[in-house]
Amino acid sequence: MHLIRSRLFARHGFMGVFTTRLGGVSQPPVDSLNFAVQPFDSPEHVAENLALLKRTVPLPRDPLRTRQVHGVTMLSCHRASDPCQHEADALLTDEPDLPLAVQTADCLPILLADPGTGIVAAVHAGWRGTAGNILGRVAEHMLSLGAEAGCMLASMGPCIGPCCFGIDEGTAERLRGCAPDGNRAVRRDNDAWYVDLVALNRRQLLALGVQDSHIETLNTCTSCHPRLFFSHRRDRGRTGRHLAIVARLANP
Ligand SMILES: [Zn+2]
């Protein structure tokens, strides 16, 4: 199993993990560490992949997940929550040992943590979520609960890069306006526009006072690395889903 672990989070007593496609039991086209049953996998394979993950990462329990709909809604979670039927693209909790996860296959997964309050959040930001500033909304909510912008940590996982994420002019226009200096994250190449989701989401955090040195990015393109990552665009939808998981550990 090949995982990407956040060193930034580990240094502050949090767990931040991004899975790759390597190390699971699922069969093509979702080989092999896939975490979404629909539409190409079986519940048994996904459950086995989760069991394998739990043997590799000290997860205190199964991560809470929602039904993601490319919206900007966030869900506050507690130990007794069962959010799997809730439509939301971000999860947040202040409880220790309660892992939260979002699933992606090109969209940008972002994990947030605030050392002072212990609040953690997992955010799913594709172009729609980015255009709607879902990350800024979640971070602002954390600030309203007592988090400090100057201390907040962010880890951005694998997503489709500006090399491969072509969009139409209308989408480019919406994304230019979603962050300060947003036009610098959108590039035109003849009749196509290419967007840098990481740059836009980074700017949304910086605008709230989050320190640049507290934002960890991977800057690796899911579409460019078929051996390592699922990519919805590259594989025209016939692909699996990675997980991005965050938790505050009671005993790190
Ligand atoms: Zn690429």
PDB file of all heavy atoms in Angstrom, residues 18-47:
ATOM      1  N   PHE A  18      -3.440  10.685   2.572  1.00  0.00           N
ATOM      2  CA  PHE A  18      -4.058  10.597   1.242  1.00  0.00           C
ATOM      3  C   PHE A  18      -3.722   9.228   0.665  1.00  0.00           C
ATOM      4  O   PHE A  18      -2.541   8.859   0.596  1.00  0.00           O
ATOM      5  CB  PHE A  18      -3.516  11.691   0.317  1.00  0.00           C
ATOM      6  CG  PHE A  18      -3.718  13.083   0.847  1.00  0.00           C
ATOM      7  CD1 PHE A  18      -2.696  13.747   1.525  1.00  0.00           C
ATOM      8  CD2 PHE A  18      -4.939  13.733   0.690  1.00  0.00           C
ATOM      9  CE1 PHE A  18      -2.878  15.033   2.022  1.00  0.00           C
ATOM     10  CE2 PHE A  18      -5.131  15.016   1.184  1.00  0.00           C
ATOM     11  CZ  PHE A  18      -4.105  15.669   1.851  1.00  0.00           C
ATOM     12  N   THR A  19      -4.732   8.485   0.231  1.00  0.00           N
ATOM     13  CA  THR A  19      -4.441   7.192  -0.380  1.00  0.00           C
ATOM     14  C   THR A  19      -4.103   7.390  -1.858  1.00  0.00           C
ATOM     15  O   THR A  19      -4.460   8.394  -2.458  1.00  0.00           O
ATOM     16  CB  THR A  19      -5.636   6.224  -0.260  1.00  0.00           C
ATOM     17  OG1 THR A  19      -6.733   6.707  -1.049  1.00  0.00           O
ATOM     18  CG2 THR A  19      -6.081   6.071   1.191  1.00  0.00           C
ATOM     19  N   THR A  20      -3.398   6.419  -2.415  1.00  0.00           N
ATOM     20  CA  THR A  20      -3.193   6.340  -3.861  1.00  0.00           C
ATOM     21  C   THR A  20      -3.998   5.132  -4.345  1.00  0.00           C
ATOM     22  O   THR A  20      -4.760   4.549  -3.573  1.00  0.00           O
ATOM     23  CB  THR A  20      -1.710   6.133  -4.209  1.00  0.00           C
ATOM     24  OG1 THR A  20      -1.321   4.823  -3.750  1.00  0.00           O
ATOM     25  CG2 THR A  20      -0.842   7.182  -3.532  1.00  0.00           C
ATOM     26  N   ARG A  21      -3.840   4.734  -5.601  1.00  0.00           N
ATOM     27  CA  ARG A  21      -4.590   3.567  -6.087  1.00  0.00           C
ATOM     28  C   ARG A  21      -3.885   2.247  -5.771  1.00  0.00           C
ATOM     29  O   ARG A  21      -4.418   1.171  -6.061  1.00  0.00           O
ATOM     30  CB  ARG A  21      -4.861   3.687  -7.586  1.00  0.00           C
ATOM     31  CG  ARG A  21      -3.638   3.506  -8.456  1.00  0.00           C
ATOM     32  CD  ARG A  21      -3.951   3.732  -9.920  1.00  0.00           C
ATOM     33  NE  ARG A  21      -4.940   2.805 -10.449  1.00  0.00           N
ATOM     34  CZ  ARG A  21      -5.495   2.910 -11.662  1.00  0.00           C
ATOM     35  NH1 ARG A  21      -5.169   3.914 -12.447  1.00  0.00           N
ATOM     36  NH2 ARG A  21      -6.374   2.038 -12.079  1.00  0.00           N
ATOM     37  N   LEU A  22      -2.715   2.306  -5.155  1.00  0.00           N
ATOM     38  CA  LEU A  22      -1.896   1.100  -4.963  1.00  0.00           C
ATOM     39  C   LEU A  22      -2.172   0.400  -3.641  1.00  0.00           C
ATOM     40  O   LEU A  22      -2.242   1.050  -2.594  1.00  0.00           O
ATOM     41  CB  LEU A  22      -0.408   1.466  -5.019  1.00  0.00           C
ATOM     42  CG  LEU A  22       0.080   2.129  -6.305  1.00  0.00           C
ATOM     43  CD1 LEU A  22       1.562   2.462  -6.193  1.00  0.00           C
ATOM     44  CD2 LEU A  22      -0.178   1.225  -7.492  1.00  0.00           C
ATOM     45  N   GLY A  23      -2.317  -0.932  -3.706  1.00  0.00           N
ATOM     46  CA  GLY A  23      -2.332  -1.718  -2.486  1.00  0.00           C
ATOM     47  C   GLY A  23      -3.664  -2.308  -2.097  1.00  0.00           C
ATOM     48  O   GLY A  23      -3.799  -2.860  -1.005  1.00  0.00           O
ATOM     49  N   GLY A  24      -4.674  -2.217  -2.955  1.00  0.00           N
ATOM     50  CA  GLY A  24      -5.986  -2.750  -2.617  1.00  0.00           C
ATOM     51  C   GLY A  24      -6.315  -4.026  -3.378  1.00  0.00           C
ATOM     52  O   GLY A  24      -5.446  -4.636  -4.009  1.00  0.00           O
ATOM     53  N   VAL A  25      -7.567  -4.442  -3.295  1.00  0.00           N
ATOM     54  CA  VAL A  25      -7.996  -5.710  -3.902  1.00  0.00           C
ATOM     55  C   VAL A  25      -8.969  -5.518  -5.063  1.00  0.00           C
ATOM     56  O   VAL A  25      -9.381  -6.495  -5.688  1.00  0.00           O
ATOM     57  CB  VAL A  25      -8.662  -6.625  -2.844  1.00  0.00           C
ATOM     58  CG1 VAL A  25      -7.684  -6.982  -1.742  1.00  0.00           C
ATOM     59  CG2 VAL A  25      -9.922  -5.972  -2.261  1.00  0.00           C
ATOM     60  N   SER A  26      -9.352  -4.278  -5.373  1.00  0.00           N
ATOM     61  CA  SER A  26     -10.345  -4.050  -6.429  1.00  0.00           C
ATOM     62  C   SER A  26      -9.762  -4.344  -7.811  1.00  0.00           C
ATOM     63  O   SER A  26      -8.557  -4.232  -8.032  1.00  0.00           O
ATOM     64  CB  SER A  26     -10.850  -2.608  -6.375  1.00  0.00           C
ATOM     65  OG  SER A  26     -11.460  -2.348  -5.123  1.00  0.00           O
ATOM     66  N   GLN A  27     -10.649  -4.716  -8.712  1.00  0.00           N
ATOM     67  CA  GLN A  27     -10.265  -5.143 -10.051  1.00  0.00           C
ATOM     68  C   GLN A  27     -10.456  -3.998 -11.062  1.00  0.00           C
ATOM     69  O   GLN A  27     -11.190  -3.054 -10.796  1.00  0.00           O
ATOM     70  CB  GLN A  27     -11.127  -6.344 -10.461  1.00  0.00           C
ATOM     71  CG  GLN A  27     -10.988  -7.539  -9.541  1.00  0.00           C
ATOM     72  CD  GLN A  27      -9.558  -8.064  -9.512  1.00  0.00           C
ATOM     73  OE1 GLN A  27      -8.963  -8.323 -10.554  1.00  0.00           O
ATOM     74  NE2 GLN A  27      -8.991  -8.190  -8.317  1.00  0.00           N
ATOM     75  N   PRO A  28      -9.812  -4.083 -12.240  1.00  0.00           N
ATOM     76  CA  PRO A  28      -9.983  -3.049 -13.256  1.00  0.00           C
ATOM     77  C   PRO A  28     -11.470  -2.818 -13.565  1.00  0.00           C
ATOM     78  O   PRO A  28     -12.223  -3.795 -13.551  1.00  0.00           O
ATOM     79  CB  PRO A  28      -9.262  -3.626 -14.481  1.00  0.00           C
ATOM     80  CG  PRO A  28      -8.247  -4.552 -13.894  1.00  0.00           C
ATOM     81  CD  PRO A  28      -8.886  -5.125 -12.662  1.00  0.00           C
ATOM     82  N   PRO A  29     -11.886  -1.575 -13.829  1.00  0.00           N
ATOM     83  CA  PRO A  29     -11.034  -0.391 -14.006  1.00  0.00           C
ATOM     84  C   PRO A  29     -10.735   0.361 -12.705  1.00  0.00           C
ATOM     85  O   PRO A  29     -10.195   1.442 -12.769  1.00  0.00           O
ATOM     86  CB  PRO A  29     -11.893   0.489 -14.913  1.00  0.00           C
ATOM     87  CG  PRO A  29     -13.304   0.195 -14.477  1.00  0.00           C
ATOM     88  CD  PRO A  29     -13.307  -1.270 -14.108  1.00  0.00           C
ATOM     89  N   VAL A  30     -11.080  -0.235 -11.552  1.00  0.00           N
ATOM     90  CA  VAL A  30     -10.897   0.504 -10.294  1.00  0.00           C
ATOM     91  C   VAL A  30      -9.776  -0.102  -9.449  1.00  0.00           C
ATOM     92  O   VAL A  30      -9.759   0.017  -8.239  1.00  0.00           O
ATOM     93  CB  VAL A  30     -12.221   0.588  -9.487  1.00  0.00           C
ATOM     94  CG1 VAL A  30     -13.231   1.414 -10.241  1.00  0.00           C
ATOM     95  CG2 VAL A  30     -12.781  -0.792  -9.197  1.00  0.00           C
ATOM     96  N   ASP A  31      -8.831  -0.747 -10.120  1.00  0.00           N
ATOM     97  CA  ASP A  31      -7.707  -1.349  -9.418  1.00  0.00           C
ATOM     98  C   ASP A  31      -6.765  -0.279  -8.900  1.00  0.00           C
ATOM     99  O   ASP A  31      -6.417   0.634  -9.632  1.00  0.00           O
ATOM    100  CB  ASP A  31      -6.956  -2.304 -10.352  1.00  0.00           C
ATOM    101  CG  ASP A  31      -6.635  -1.643 -11.694  1.00  0.00           C
ATOM    102  OD1 ASP A  31      -7.551  -1.067 -12.323  1.00  0.00           O
ATOM    103  OD2 ASP A  31      -5.460  -1.703 -12.093  1.00  0.00           O
ATOM    104  N   SER A  32      -6.355  -0.416  -7.614  1.00  0.00           N
ATOM    105  CA  SER A  32      -6.869  -1.491  -6.773  1.00  0.00           C
ATOM    106  C   SER A  32      -7.350  -0.981  -5.412  1.00  0.00           C
ATOM    107  O   SER A  32      -8.137  -1.638  -4.769  1.00  0.00           O
ATOM    108  CB  SER A  32      -5.779  -2.550  -6.570  1.00  0.00           C
ATOM    109  OG  SER A  32      -4.662  -1.966  -5.925  1.00  0.00           O
ATOM    110  N   LEU A  33      -6.863   0.172  -4.964  1.00  0.00           N
ATOM    111  CA  LEU A  33      -7.281   0.659  -3.634  1.00  0.00           C
ATOM    112  C   LEU A  33      -8.429   1.662  -3.812  1.00  0.00           C
ATOM    113  O   LEU A  33      -8.278   2.864  -3.606  1.00  0.00           O
ATOM    114  CB  LEU A  33      -6.095   1.294  -2.893  1.00  0.00           C
ATOM    115  CG  LEU A  33      -6.320   1.609  -1.405  1.00  0.00           C
ATOM    116  CD1 LEU A  33      -6.590   0.350  -0.596  1.00  0.00           C
ATOM    117  CD2 LEU A  33      -5.110   2.350  -0.823  1.00  0.00           C
ATOM    118  N   ASN A  34      -9.598   1.133  -4.161  1.00  0.00           N
ATOM    119  CA  ASN A  34     -10.757   1.974  -4.469  1.00  0.00           C
ATOM    120  C   ASN A  34     -11.700   2.036  -3.269  1.00  0.00           C
ATOM    121  O   ASN A  34     -11.903   1.048  -2.583  1.00  0.00           O
ATOM    122  CB  ASN A  34     -11.498   1.380  -5.676  1.00  0.00           C
ATOM    123  CG  ASN A  34     -12.833   2.041  -5.900  1.00  0.00           C
ATOM    124  OD1 ASN A  34     -12.938   3.262  -5.931  1.00  0.00           O
ATOM    125  ND2 ASN A  34     -13.878   1.227  -6.042  1.00  0.00           N
ATOM    126  N   PHE A  35     -12.276   3.221  -3.047  1.00  0.00           N
ATOM    127  CA  PHE A  35     -13.140   3.407  -1.882  1.00  0.00           C
ATOM    128  C   PHE A  35     -14.568   3.807  -2.239  1.00  0.00           C
ATOM    129  O   PHE A  35     -15.302   4.302  -1.376  1.00  0.00           O
ATOM    130  CB  PHE A  35     -12.515   4.423  -0.924  1.00  0.00           C
ATOM    131  CG  PHE A  35     -11.292   3.885  -0.236  1.00  0.00           C
ATOM    132  CD1 PHE A  35     -10.026   4.228  -0.674  1.00  0.00           C
ATOM    133  CD2 PHE A  35     -11.411   2.999   0.827  1.00  0.00           C
ATOM    134  CE1 PHE A  35      -8.895   3.706  -0.066  1.00  0.00           C
ATOM    135  CE2 PHE A  35     -10.292   2.473   1.457  1.00  0.00           C
ATOM    136  CZ  PHE A  35      -9.034   2.829   1.011  1.00  0.00           C
ATOM    137  N   ALA A  36     -14.973   3.611  -3.494  1.00  0.00           N
ATOM    138  CA  ALA A  36     -16.360   3.907  -3.881  1.00  0.00           C
ATOM    139  C   ALA A  36     -16.972   2.677  -4.531  1.00  0.00           C
ATOM    140  O   ALA A  36     -16.408   2.111  -5.474  1.00  0.00           O
ATOM    141  CB  ALA A  36     -16.412   5.085  -4.838  1.00  0.00           C
ATOM    142  N   VAL A  37     -18.106   2.238  -4.026  1.00  0.00           N
ATOM    143  CA  VAL A  37     -18.765   1.048  -4.573  1.00  0.00           C
ATOM    144  C   VAL A  37     -19.318   1.329  -5.968  1.00  0.00           C
ATOM    145  O   VAL A  37     -19.136   0.541  -6.890  1.00  0.00           O
ATOM    146  CB  VAL A  37     -19.897   0.576  -3.633  1.00  0.00           C
ATOM    147  CG1 VAL A  37     -20.688  -0.553  -4.279  1.00  0.00           C
ATOM    148  CG2 VAL A  37     -19.321   0.146  -2.289  1.00  0.00           C
ATOM    149  N   GLN A  38     -19.993   2.492  -6.096  1.00  0.00           N
ATOM    150  CA  GLN A  38     -20.628   2.813  -7.374  1.00  0.00           C
ATOM    151  C   GLN A  38     -19.644   3.466  -8.338  1.00  0.00           C
ATOM    152  O   GLN A  38     -18.867   4.309  -7.917  1.00  0.00           O
ATOM    153  CB  GLN A  38     -21.814   3.769  -7.138  1.00  0.00           C
ATOM    154  CG  GLN A  38     -22.926   3.162  -6.330  1.00  0.00           C
ATOM    155  CD  GLN A  38     -23.566   1.973  -7.017  1.00  0.00           C
ATOM    156  OE1 GLN A  38     -23.523   1.875  -8.250  1.00  0.00           O
ATOM    157  NE2 GLN A  38     -24.146   1.084  -6.260  1.00  0.00           N
ATOM    158  N   PRO A  39     -19.685   3.101  -9.619  1.00  0.00           N
ATOM    159  CA  PRO A  39     -20.519   2.057 -10.214  1.00  0.00           C
ATOM    160  C   PRO A  39     -19.733   0.823 -10.622  1.00  0.00           C
ATOM    161  O   PRO A  39     -20.283  -0.041 -11.286  1.00  0.00           O
ATOM    162  CB  PRO A  39     -21.050   2.772 -11.469  1.00  0.00           C
ATOM    163  CG  PRO A  39     -19.902   3.633 -11.885  1.00  0.00           C
ATOM    164  CD  PRO A  39     -19.115   3.973 -10.632  1.00  0.00           C
ATOM    165  N   PHE A  40     -18.467   0.712 -10.203  1.00  0.00           N
ATOM    166  CA  PHE A  40     -17.619  -0.342 -10.768  1.00  0.00           C
ATOM    167  C   PHE A  40     -17.106  -1.350  -9.752  1.00  0.00           C
ATOM    168  O   PHE A  40     -16.270  -2.171 -10.077  1.00  0.00           O
ATOM    169  CB  PHE A  40     -16.422   0.281 -11.494  1.00  0.00           C
ATOM    170  CG  PHE A  40     -16.799   1.125 -12.664  1.00  0.00           C
ATOM    171  CD1 PHE A  40     -16.625   2.496 -12.630  1.00  0.00           C
ATOM    172  CD2 PHE A  40     -17.342   0.550 -13.806  1.00  0.00           C
ATOM    173  CE1 PHE A  40     -16.974   3.286 -13.708  1.00  0.00           C
ATOM    174  CE2 PHE A  40     -17.696   1.330 -14.894  1.00  0.00           C
ATOM    175  CZ  PHE A  40     -17.517   2.699 -14.838  1.00  0.00           C
ATOM    176  N   ASP A  41     -17.532  -1.271  -8.499  1.00  0.00           N
ATOM    177  CA  ASP A  41     -16.905  -2.143  -7.510  1.00  0.00           C
ATOM    178  C   ASP A  41     -17.969  -2.832  -6.655  1.00  0.00           C
ATOM    179  O   ASP A  41     -19.165  -2.523  -6.739  1.00  0.00           O
ATOM    180  CB  ASP A  41     -15.945  -1.330  -6.628  1.00  0.00           C
ATOM    181  CG  ASP A  41     -14.734  -2.151  -6.185  1.00  0.00           C
ATOM    182  OD1 ASP A  41     -14.775  -3.383  -6.319  1.00  0.00           O
ATOM    183  OD2 ASP A  41     -13.771  -1.545  -5.696  1.00  0.00           O
ATOM    184  N   SER A  42     -17.525  -3.744  -5.822  1.00  0.00           N
ATOM    185  CA  SER A  42     -18.433  -4.461  -4.934  1.00  0.00           C
ATOM    186  C   SER A  42     -18.242  -3.941  -3.515  1.00  0.00           C
ATOM    187  O   SER A  42     -17.137  -3.512  -3.147  1.00  0.00           O
ATOM    188  CB  SER A  42     -18.128  -5.957  -4.969  1.00  0.00           C
ATOM    189  OG  SER A  42     -16.874  -6.196  -4.368  1.00  0.00           O
ATOM    190  N   PRO A  43     -19.303  -3.997  -2.695  1.00  0.00           N
ATOM    191  CA  PRO A  43     -19.160  -3.592  -1.293  1.00  0.00           C
ATOM    192  C   PRO A  43     -18.080  -4.402  -0.583  1.00  0.00           C
ATOM    193  O   PRO A  43     -17.369  -3.880   0.284  1.00  0.00           O
ATOM    194  CB  PRO A  43     -20.543  -3.882  -0.693  1.00  0.00           C
ATOM    195  CG  PRO A  43     -21.481  -3.898  -1.847  1.00  0.00           C
ATOM    196  CD  PRO A  43     -20.677  -4.386  -3.029  1.00  0.00           C
ATOM    197  N   GLU A  44     -17.917  -5.667  -0.974  1.00  0.00           N
ATOM    198  CA  GLU A  44     -16.920  -6.522  -0.320  1.00  0.00           C
ATOM    199  C   GLU A  44     -15.501  -6.021  -0.582  1.00  0.00           C
ATOM    200  O   GLU A  44     -14.668  -5.985   0.320  1.00  0.00           O
ATOM    201  CB  GLU A  44     -17.062  -7.978  -0.812  1.00  0.00           C
ATOM    202  CG  GLU A  44     -18.340  -8.669  -0.388  1.00  0.00           C
ATOM    203  CD  GLU A  44     -19.574  -8.222  -1.173  1.00  0.00           C
ATOM    204  OE1 GLU A  44     -19.396  -7.709  -2.315  1.00  0.00           O
ATOM    205  OE2 GLU A  44     -20.707  -8.354  -0.658  1.00  0.00           O
ATOM    206  N   HIS A  45     -15.231  -5.648  -1.828  1.00  0.00           N
ATOM    207  CA  HIS A  45     -13.885  -5.153  -2.154  1.00  0.00           C
ATOM    208  C   HIS A  45     -13.585  -3.839  -1.441  1.00  0.00           C
ATOM    209  O   HIS A  45     -12.489  -3.641  -0.924  1.00  0.00           O
ATOM    210  CB  HIS A  45     -13.741  -4.960  -3.672  1.00  0.00           C
ATOM    211  CG  HIS A  45     -13.488  -6.241  -4.392  1.00  0.00           C
ATOM    212  ND1 HIS A  45     -13.573  -6.358  -5.762  1.00  0.00           N
ATOM    213  CD2 HIS A  45     -13.151  -7.476  -3.938  1.00  0.00           C
ATOM    214  CE1 HIS A  45     -13.291  -7.590  -6.123  1.00  0.00           C
ATOM    215  NE2 HIS A  45     -13.041  -8.295  -5.029  1.00  0.00           N
ATOM    216  N   VAL A  46     -14.569  -2.945  -1.429  1.00  0.00           N
ATOM    217  CA  VAL A  46     -14.347  -1.656  -0.768  1.00  0.00           C
ATOM    218  C   VAL A  46     -14.138  -1.866   0.732  1.00  0.00           C
ATOM    219  O   VAL A  46     -13.264  -1.233   1.345  1.00  0.00           O
ATOM    220  CB  VAL A  46     -15.523  -0.693  -1.050  1.00  0.00           C
ATOM    221  CG1 VAL A  46     -15.412   0.566  -0.200  1.00  0.00           C
ATOM    222  CG2 VAL A  46     -15.557  -0.326  -2.530  1.00  0.00           C
ATOM    223  N   ALA A  47     -14.903  -2.778   1.323  1.00  0.00           N
ATOM    224  CA  ALA A  47     -14.734  -3.076   2.757  1.00  0.00           C
ATOM    225  C   ALA A  47     -13.362  -3.678   3.020  1.00  0.00           C
ATOM    226  O   ALA A  47     -12.702  -3.350   4.020  1.00  0.00           O
ATOM    227  CB  ALA A  47     -15.839  -4.024   3.225  1.00  0.00           C
TER     228      ALA A  47
END
